Amino acid sequence: MIPGAPADAGALAELAATLSDRYTVVTYDQRGLSRSTLTGPPVDQDVRVFSEDAYRLLAALGDEPAYVLGNSGGALTALDLAVRHPERVRALVVHEPPIPELLPDREHWRAAFQDVYDTYRDQGAGVAMGKFIATVDGENSDPPAMPDPAQMPPEALEMMGRVQGNLDHFLAHVLLPVLRFEPDIAALRSGPVPVAVGVGAASGDGVPALSARMLAERLGVEPLVFPGDHQGLALDVAACADIIHAALA
């Protein structure tokens, strides 16, 4: 299971636990995020760097190919992994991969995310993340409800603190390189790895949902409809686990 930045493995922990009765489940924090700390100075990191990390992790865990789930930006890593190392991927489910480069108005989205980056440089992570969320969710979407920290379990509070610590690295070194990624559609269509593309039923017209629908169309597959929105894998865990299991099977 590959989470998307600036989140980490904690975002998929409940889903991992739910699927652990059917699979050996591994998830991790991507390079430079949370507990996967860098040993040198931070540099820009694109999807190829992340997919090679995933390949090395799979190689360290064993010889068999894995079922792979990628969520949000982690779905881009998963798609690239399936192209570069198809022998390590038995089947793939990607949930709402944000791929503005696939969209017909990609120049608009390039400018929008450049504005998020420039806002970070000028005004800091807090203002930039507000703009990023609004850009990703779509102009007509309701703003996400903010959780009440007093009602959150300790592990969720701990993850929130880690994610806050990831924002500077994400905005400075991950945001623009990752959102300039375009998957190799021809290789995915002709390759041996079955790819299922998921979209949230309540996601509306945000970049991840639009991208997921476009990716499914380009791959010639029908999108899987998941409950909820872009955060659905963490909210309706039992239903999502069943959809993922059926797709992989």
Side-chain angles (χ1 to χ4, degrees):
M1 291 183 167
I2 309 176
D8 61 24
L12 298 175
E14 190 174 351
L15 181 62
T18 304
L19 283 166
S20 65
D21 62 342
R22 287 161 275 188
Y23 302 89
T24 299
V25 185
V26 175
T27 187
Y28 65 102
D29 303 343
Q30 292 199 86
R31 175 191 294 245
L33 302 175
S34 295
R35 296 154 294 195
S36 290
T37 53
L38 299 174
T39 56
V43 296
D44 288 356
Q45 293 165 358
D46 60 18
V47 171
R48 182 173 183 174
V49 170
F50 288 136
S51 69
E52 290 300 320
D53 285 346
Y55 167 72
R56 284 189 286 268
L57 176 58
L58 286 174
L61 292 170
D63 297 327
E64 294 185 27
Y67 296 106
V68 177
L69 169 72
N71 182 47
S72 189
L76 310 184
T77 301
L79 289 166
D80 199 55
L81 175 68
V83 168
R84 296 183 185 279
H85 301 285
E87 75 284 357
R88 300 313 311 251
V89 183
R90 190 186 305 272
L92 174 62
V93 175
V94 291
H95 180 263
E96 294 212 349
I99 318 174
E101 292 294 298
L102 283 185
L103 301 179
D105 50 352
R106 70 177 187 176
E107 293 302 325
H108 162 76
W109 294 116
R110 281 186 176 185
F113 290 115
Q114 182 67 49
D115 183 49
V116 172
Y117 175 82
D118 293 341
T119 299
Y120 165 67
R121 288 300 188 192
D122 294 339
Q123 301 180 55
V127 177
M129 281 305 296
K131 185 174 286 188
F132 171 74
I133 292 169
T135 302
V136 166
D137 285 348
E139 295 177 356
N140 299 320
S141 301
D142 294 329
M146 298 305 294
D148 178 3
Q151 303 299 318
M152 296 173 66
E155 60 271 17
L157 281 171
E158 183 179 341
M159 186 188 73
M160 181 179 288
R162 294 196 305 267
V163 171
Q164 288 293 320
N166 291 337
L167 296 185
D168 284 297
H169 181 73
F170 168 71
L171 291 164
H173 299 292
V174 178
L175 172 70
L176 292 183
V178 164
L179 290 179
R180 293 291 173 87
F181 170 75
E182 185 172 354
D184 188 335
I185 300 293
L188 290 167
R189 285 182 65 102
S190 63
V193 179
V195 181
V197 182
V199 62
S203 287
D205 61 352
V207 171
L210 291 173
S211 302
R213 297 184 191 108
M214 179 63 73
L215 177 64
E217 179 181 326
R218 297 278 296 276
L219 293 176
V221 299
E222 193 70 22
L224 297 175
V225 179
F226 281 79
D229 56 15
H230 193 57
Q231 309 302 324
L233 295 188
L235 299 178
D236 195 341
V237 174
C240 290
D242 288 341
I243 292 169
I244 291 164
H245 177 60
L248 294 176

